[in-house]
Amino acid sequence: MAAPRVVVEPAGRVCWDEPVRIAVHGLAPEQPVALRASLRDEKGALFRAHARYRADARGQLDLQRAPALGGSFAGLEPMGLVWALQPDRPFWRLLKRDVQTPLLLELEVLDGREPAGPGEPEGGRVLARAVHERHFMAAGVRRGPVREGRVRATLFLPPGSGPFPGIIDLYGVGGGLLEYRASLLAGKGFAVMALAYYNYDDLPKNMKILHLEYFEEAVSYLLRHPQVKGPGIGLLGLSKGGELCLSMASFLKGITTAVIINGSVANSVGTLCYKDETLPPVGINLNRVKMTKDGIVDAVDIIMSPLEGPGQKSFIPVERSDTNFLFLVGQDDHNWKSEFYANEASKRLEAHGKAKPQIILYPEAGHNIDPPYFPLCKYSLNRHLGGFLWGGEPKAHAVAQVDAWKQIQTFFHRHLGGTEGTIPAKL
């Protein structure tokens, strides 16, 4: 009998957001096995997942047809070995900072008939292994740093001469410059600028005061670019980045569409300035911090309401905007009340005769809705508060990420034009 081997298809260059077919050939009929996946991030932190399976009558195992019988997940989950990865180091989130290199996923098949050895909770002897590369730039995508005026960013362009629909991509309070979502989205036919706004290069070290003129500069840079088609651009933001996208759409020209992932309708953290207008940060009440039974901080109630008292001065004037909005909401977001915020933005827009925004709710999804197959980071370490709860349940969050990614592309193609070159992600 041939030795067992792991087959991953497609075999060529696969991007992180694309599903693959994982199979094992050459097993004994009905053989019980365990599959183990592991990868190390750029800082050397180890992530692992495992599941038990049984080969079919011909000794074949295809994860698109065979249900997992337990482990990190159960049931028919063809991509479970990726989205269920969990860090050995507690409170650690899988991020990709250098998008020019892939992450390497090691897959191992272990004999499930043998008793597990010490340190091998998932099975016995290793029967086969394979390494699968997951990339962040599709073939032909170009990456260029942007240092224009004050703007500090990276621009990703799809293959070809364009012009392409333009998007600015913003992340949250972690600061710095994250490129992995922008690089993946450029593979779908968009010119995407990952924009830093603090704690990067020569930008301010904190968010005490943010000036929208900086973001206005980024918008005009993108609109002037010969490979970006106008007349307007799209915005994509998560968390504080989503909140900034709402502010940009409310105050600035040239923005056609915006996707807000778990964003706030009230300006938070620091003061926001544009010309002679100022939005103070919405107040917080640290007495409202709750602790989970595991000693994790749940801060969902600490932000004051933007509908009453001084909080009203922090409400972003969305009614000024003619932008098409899509709100993506994790209903188990414990960072802040994203569903409430999306509904309040919708009410404010409708009250002023503006189009009702699209709101998509994801039950049991947490705060950090990433591109498909990024593992859920339910808790991480906060500089000021210690262990911090983001929320989410692994399976539901994984389902949300696949759907959200599809919705983002569809929404931008609809409102910005361009040709849909999407590879549909599946779980």
Side-chain angles (χ1 to χ4, degrees):
M1 191 172 78
R5 62 191 180 92
V6 183
V7 178
V8 180
E9 295 172 320
R13 189 184 184 99
V14 173
C15 280
W16 182 273
D17 61 322
E18 293 169 0
V20 288
R21 184 173 196 151
I22 299 169
V24 184
H25 299 173
L27 296 168
E30 312 284 343
Q31 182 175 347
V33 290
L35 264 63
R36 187 164 61 189
S38 60
L39 68 73
R40 286 192 184 275
D41 70 8
E42 291 152 318
K43 296 194 171 170
L46 183 64
F47 288 76
R48 293 193 278 197
H50 69 276
R52 296 189 305 280
Y53 290 95
R54 188 176 289 279
D56 66 16
R58 295 173 305 133
Q60 307 287 323
L61 175 62
D62 180 348
L63 270 54
Q64 287 188 352
R65 291 204 297 264
L69 307 173
S72 303
F73 53 91
L76 194 62
E77 299 292 347
M79 289 297 288
L81 288 169
V82 184
W83 64 250
L85 288 164
Q86 280 300 297
D88 280 9
R89 190 186 298 191
F91 304 120
W92 200 252
R93 182 178 172 191
L94 182 63
L95 291 173
K96 188 72 175 89
R97 296 191 183 276
D98 177 7
V99 297
Q100 297 174 97
T101 60
L103 283 172
L104 305 180
L105 185 76
E106 185 173 10
L107 296 165
E108 294 177 307
V109 185
L110 299 100
D111 190 346
R113 293 174 297 198
E114 300 177 12
E120 286 202 337
E122 304 99 29
R125 187 167 50 93
V126 176
L127 304 175
R129 61 163 53 93
V131 175
H132 163 55
E133 293 187 355
R134 296 190 70 77
H135 291 261
F136 289 82
M137 288 173 65
V141 168
R142 294 156 289 162
R143 175 187 179 275
V146 178
R147 291 182 66 96
E148 182 87 12
R150 289 174 297 180
V151 177
R152 301 293 174 260
T154 305
L155 182 61
F156 292 91
L157 294 170
S161 57
F164 309 103
I167 296 168
I168 290 178
D169 184 22
L170 290 166
Y171 271 91
V173 295
L177 182 58
L178 288 173
E179 301 178 357
Y180 62 87
R181 186 169 59 195
S183 64
L184 290 169
L185 204 48
K188 313 298 181 194
F190 301 100
V192 191
M193 176 196 272
L195 180 63
Y197 55 93
Y198 91 102
N199 198 22
Y200 177 77
D201 203 52
D202 56 356
L203 294 174
K205 290 285 171 268
N206 59 51
M207 286 193 291
K208 279 185 188 146
I209 300 180
L210 289 176
H211 295 274
L212 271 181
E213 284 84 353
Y214 171 79
F215 300 89
E216 191 169 42
E217 243 182 88
V219 172
S220 64
Y221 171 84
L222 202 53
L223 280 170
R224 284 195 319 269
H225 196 284
Q227 286 182 282
V228 173
K229 66 185 257 185
I233 62 158
L235 305 176
L236 172 60
L238 167 70
S239 190
K240 175 69 183 178
E243 175 203 302
L244 281 165
C245 289
L246 268 187
S247 297
M248 291 166 73
S250 303
F251 287 100
L252 307 181
K253 302 242 183 311
I255 292 153
T256 304
T257 184
V259 178
I260 315 297
I261 307 171
N262 289 331
S264 166
V265 284
N267 178 54
S268 67
V269 187
T271 301
L272 187 72
C273 303
Y274 182 61
K275 297 186 175 165
D276 55 356
E277 292 190 78
T278 301
L279 292 187
V282 67
I284 58 170
N285 181 354
L286 290 174
N287 294 328
R288 293 194 194 159
V289 165
K290 295 181 292 205
M291 298 295 267
T292 70
K293 59 182 190 307
D294 305 321
I296 308 287
V297 168
D298 182 351
V300 73
D301 292 326
I302 69 171
I303 297 179
M304 309 294 271
S305 170
L307 303 182
E308 53 201 45
Q312 296 172 86
K313 291 190 172 67
S314 304
F315 204 108
I316 297 161
V318 291
E319 66 277 5
R320 299 185 190 181
S321 181
D322 293 316
T323 301
N324 296 292
F325 289 110
L326 168 61
F327 289 86
L328 301 176
V329 173
Q331 288 184 287
D332 193 39
D333 183 353
H334 280 261
N335 181 71
W336 54 25
K337 297 179 177 177
S338 299
E339 186 176 354
F340 166 73
Y341 292 153
N343 288 330
E344 287 308 319
S346 181
K347 281 184 205 165
R348 177 78 68 107
L349 285 160
E350 283 192 278
H352 287 81
K354 300 296 169 82
K356 184 178 172 64
Q358 190 179 351
I359 299 174
I360 300 175
L361 304 176
Y362 294 109
E364 294 186 287
H367 184 67
N368 293 311
I369 295 177
D370 261 322
Y373 317 125
F374 271 93
L376 169 68
C377 176
K378 188 163 184 164
Y379 323 98
S380 68
L381 282 177
N382 178 291
R383 263 196 305 254
H384 311 293
L385 299 171
F388 185 87
L389 178 64
W390 297 108
E393 294 305 321
K395 170 68 201 271
H397 195 84
V399 169
Q401 290 187 155
V402 168
D403 186 71
W405 193 235
K406 204 166 53 198
Q407 300 285 357
I408 288 166
Q409 293 170 53
T410 302
F411 194 76
F412 281 138
H413 279 301
R414 186 185 309 142
H415 294 292
L416 296 174
T419 51
E420 295 212 31
T422 62
I423 293 175
K426 297 190 214 63
L427 269 180

